[in-house]
Amino acid sequence: MSGRRAGRFTLTAAGVALALAPALTVGPAVTPALAVTPAPAVAPAPAATPASAVAPAQAVGSAGVPTTAVDPGVASAAVVRPASSSTSPTALAPATTASPSASRPLRPTAADPGPDAPGPAAGLTQRVECTASSGTSPASAVRGSDPLAAVHRLADGDGQRVAVIDTGVSPHPRLDGRLIGGGDYLAGGDGLDDCDGHGTEVAGLIAAVPDPVTRTGSGVAPRAQVLSLRQSSSRFTVTGPDGRDRPAGEIGTLADAITRAVALRATVVNISEVVCVPQAQADSAGAPLRAAVRAASEAGVVVVAAAGNVDPSGTCTGAAGLRPMPALFDDVIAVAAVDGDDRVAPFSVPGPWVDVAAPGVAVASLSVGGGATGPVLNGTSYAAPVVAGVAALLRQRFPSLTPDQVADRIRATARHPAAGRDPRVGYGVLDPLAALTAEPLLLSPSQDPAGGSVTGPRTGTGPDVASRAGTGTLLPGLGQRRPDHTVALSTGIAAALVLLGAVSALLRRLRRETGRARTDRRPGPADHPDHRRPEHTPEPLARR
């Protein structure tokens, strides 16, 4: 955030790993078109039906209904879309677990569209079938414990509204009553259609309630509201000014979606999307997006974004000189991905803009149609919503904190890398419980490996993690963390001051009583000037 920032826990039903990398077409007035391809193939998954096997490509309107006429128009300057975690941009991650009560809920009511409600994108065409809901029998589900139970005793996201700017969020029983449609920048509508499944997975990581059978799979902020803004999709294309098709979702509409989220009273915005551009073009191509993020922060909204996934075939190749947006911006908490042992995910894009890391390997979440995925999701797309959920908890527990102060608290309480700030994980791996309990209220991160205002345990990013295990207090589901003795030390100092004050008061009282005794004593021979003895001052009580 301001001044560019240059116990481990497992999520069992909340995660979606789509490394975002939109096909960025910077309009002719800016630069030649730049194709921003999907993030890398992180985990193979069965491929979706190719476009050629589906009905011929056709323009669609709201909810995927074909339209007879779509104005080809001129598309905006840059296309941004999330990329699948599978081997192909059109591949689907398999869903493996369904809840017995996985019947699709009634469609929630959309937010008041207002005068600036998004409309259908010009030249929108569906090229690939939507993700099909699937799942296995809940009989295989095993009851488990909630790894975030200690966190949820302190805060659960109640009263917070987290905007998910993504591929849309499909209504789901485990989001019932808290899902709000904010708008659809592709087909028009309420934003509650999710053809890709990505946005639903991201929303589950943030705000899903536990599975009713296993009691596992809780989102980080299970009582927060989710505001869905559909802004991108790998299943659709739009026609560019040059007449060529490109993936739906653009930098201009992403900026508009952030602005709309603020207008619809979001307290946190999650963006599991990224577009990598050469450094020379970052200022010009990203100007609208930077301005929208800055305005959101000034309005008191925390913005969290994925750092991006390395994709040799796309724009986020990991090469020097590329800059991921919006993760690059100072007013964004940029999130990298680690596995369950705090080891850096090989696909996570490193850089000085990375603030913290969170679990983004082999995670699970909600699926379209009311079920849940297995632990097959990989990507910084799934690490970002974990941090967004913690930001919502902090907004609930400490409502006076500004977005900068929330970000500082998250960074200062992270499990710091052994060698200090690291471009792969920033200030370290997210520690939700420490973020909610560390003192004082206002914390500042430090570049020093010794830590910032709060000295946290050292968490490495390589194989030596296991060798340091067991050196701290094991918190339920949150990994190793040394106990914070700040409260005990403060109490001891206060008690010592009280005792010192009591001793001082007793000495003053003894001196006063001794003085009165001298005044009341009658004069005698010893008081005659010729018989004066050397003046003697009573000594204070001896310390033993």
Side-chain angles (χ1 to χ4, degrees):
M1 310 263 321
S2 55
R4 181 26 71 171
R5 331 165 276 247
R8 158 180 334 125
F9 61 103
T10 303
L11 296 175
T12 55
V16 176
L18 295 173
L20 286 70
L24 168 68
T25 307
V26 180
V30 183
T31 65
L34 294 174
V36 180
T37 55
V42 177
T49 307
S52 58
V54 186
Q58 55 185 341
V60 297
S62 177
V65 178
T67 58
T68 55
V70 177
D71 180 7
V74 177
S76 317
V79 178
V80 181
R81 68 179 175 82
S84 160
S85 61
S86 49
T87 55
S88 149
T90 60
L92 308 179
T96 60
T97 306
S99 165
S101 59
S103 57
R104 189 162 185 147
L106 294 176
R107 194 175 187 87
T109 301
D112 182 1
D116 298 321
L124 184 70
T125 302
Q126 183 167 2
R127 299 292 181 181
V128 182
E129 284 187 337
C130 293
T131 298
S133 59
S134 61
T136 59
S137 169
S140 61
V142 178
R143 180 178 292 274
S145 59
D146 179 6
L148 293 171
V151 170
H152 292 157
R153 284 193 287 270
L154 300 172
D156 55 14
D158 188 33
Q160 303 305 305
R161 179 174 292 184
V162 182
V164 175
I165 301 176
D166 213 283
T167 63
V169 178
S170 177
H172 196 286
R174 289 166 60 188
L175 295 173
D176 249 4
R178 295 175 294 114
L179 178 59
I180 303 169
D184 187 336
Y185 286 85
L186 301 185
D190 55 15
L192 299 179
D193 291 298
D194 185 5
C195 195
D196 304 65
H198 185 258
T200 302
E201 295 163 334
V202 168
L205 285 167
I206 295 171
V209 296
D211 183 275
V213 174
T214 66
R215 305 308 303 165
T216 61
S218 172
V220 179
R223 294 195 64 186
Q225 292 182 330
V226 172
L227 175 68
S228 174
L229 292 127
R230 189 188 194 199
Q231 186 271 330
S232 63
S233 175
S234 63
R235 273 47 174 173
F236 295 83
T237 62
V238 294
T239 304
D242 57 0
R244 295 181 180 179
D245 290 340
R246 59 184 190 230
E250 304 171 348
I251 283 181
T253 56
L254 179 55
D256 291 343
I258 294 172
T259 301
R260 183 166 175 79
V262 174
L264 294 177
R265 302 188 305 281
T267 55
V268 178
V269 171
N270 182 85
I271 306 172
S272 287
E273 298 182 344
V274 65
V275 54
C276 291
V277 298
Q279 183 176 1
Q281 296 182 10
D283 287 342
S284 57
L289 190 54
R290 185 191 297 272
V293 167
R294 173 87 282 233
S297 180
E298 290 175 346
V301 179
V302 178
V303 181
V304 180
N309 297 354
V310 174
D311 180 8
S313 65
T315 57
C316 291
T317 62
L322 293 178
R323 298 293 181 264
M325 298 187 296
L328 173 68
F329 304 141
D330 289 349
D331 297 299
V332 170
I333 303 176
V335 186
V338 294
D339 66 12
D341 291 322
D342 287 357
R343 291 179 295 224
V344 178
F347 54 77
S348 189
V349 173
W353 47 81
V354 173
D355 291 298
V356 292
V361 176
V363 296
S365 188
L366 306 182
S367 65
V368 173
T373 74
V376 297
L377 305 172
N378 303 278
T380 57
S381 285
Y382 307 117
V386 178
V387 176
V390 171
L393 301 182
L394 287 171
R395 300 309 302 266
Q396 175 192 3
R397 185 165 169 80
F398 307 115
S400 64
L401 294 183
T402 67
D404 281 347
Q405 291 166 347
V406 169
D408 280 345
R409 193 169 178 87
I410 287 173
R411 297 197 301 262
T413 56
R415 298 195 296 274
H416 309 305
R421 194 169 189 275
D422 188 315
R424 299 170 299 170
V425 297
Y427 289 93
V429 179
L430 178 72
D431 190 331
L433 189 59
L436 291 173
T437 58
E439 295 182 355
L441 175 62
L442 300 181
L443 299 172
S444 297
S446 172
Q447 304 280 350
D448 194 300
S453 299
V454 173
T455 302
R458 303 292 177 263
T459 297
T461 55
D464 60 339
V465 173
S467 66
R468 291 195 298 274
T471 58
T473 302
L474 184 63
L475 300 174
L478 296 176
Q480 300 292 331
R481 180 170 177 84
R482 295 190 182 99
D484 185 355
H485 299 293
T486 305
V487 176
L489 181 60
S490 301
T491 303
I493 293 174
L497 291 175
V498 170
L499 180 60
L500 182 60
V503 172
S504 299
L506 178 61
L507 291 175
R508 288 195 297 271
R509 181 178 178 183
L510 289 175
R511 289 193 181 100
R512 285 197 300 271
E513 291 178 352
T514 301
R516 289 195 199 98
R518 287 179 178 169
T519 303
D520 296 340
R521 195 158 43 88
R522 293 181 179 181
D527 295 309
H528 192 277
D530 295 336
H531 296 85
R532 286 177 182 167
R533 297 175 181 174
E535 184 176 351
H536 175 71
T537 302
E539 296 181 0
L541 296 177
R543 296 181 180 177
R544 300 183 185 276

